Amino acid sequence: QVTLVESGGRLVQAGDSLSLSCVGSGATLRSYTMAWFRQAPGKEREVVAVSRRYGTSIYYADSVKGRFTISRDHAKNTMYLQMNSLKLEDTAVYYCAADSSIILSSQYSASHYDYWGQGTQVTVSA
């Protein structure tokens, strides 16, 4: 059973930077595709960035491309999301997710991930 724990969310101002972490346990996550999703009030959960297993590819949503960076430290079984130039519309609960067998075409959909963290709140103020 994989357990994921996010941390790092807090209140920041627009234009600030913030780094989120997702620590995994219960499995070696190198063989898992991992992703960051976010969910704003009243909206559906949306993909932010995906890091496919074994580092084969990385995907970013258009809304964060050039501002956010996803990375992984396999020795620490940890995934990160570096967020720069934060905007008001980045306000959301951020979740990390993992799956060992997700195919490329399904990696953008929350419903295809088996394991989730509890979420961490990021609030961007003007």
Side-chain angles (χ1 to χ4, degrees), residues 4-84:
L4 303 173
V5 179
E6 305 98 333
S7 63
R10 61 182 176 90
L11 173 64
V12 296
Q13 291 188 324
D16 283 353
S17 296
L18 191 62
S19 181
L20 305 182
S21 300
C22 171
V23 180
S25 61
T28 300
L29 296 179
R30 181 189 299 268
S31 63
Y32 284 65
T33 290
M34 298 188 71
W36 287 100
F37 284 79
R38 67 185 181 186
Q39 188 165 20
K43 295 188 177 181
E44 293 187 357
R45 193 168 298 190
E46 63 175 2
V47 65
V48 173
V50 181
S51 170
R52 285 198 62 80
R53 56 184 179 173
Y54 303 118
T56 52
S57 69
I58 288 178
Y59 163 86
Y60 294 101
D62 287 343
S63 58
V64 306
K65 200 173 295 182
R67 299 188 298 122
F68 290 11
T69 302
I70 188 173
S71 62
R72 298 167 72 166
D73 184 335
H74 296 300
K76 296 181 178 179
N77 231 25
T78 299
M79 177 176 67
Y80 303 96
L81 185 68
Q82 176 65 39
M83 304 184 292
N84 298 328

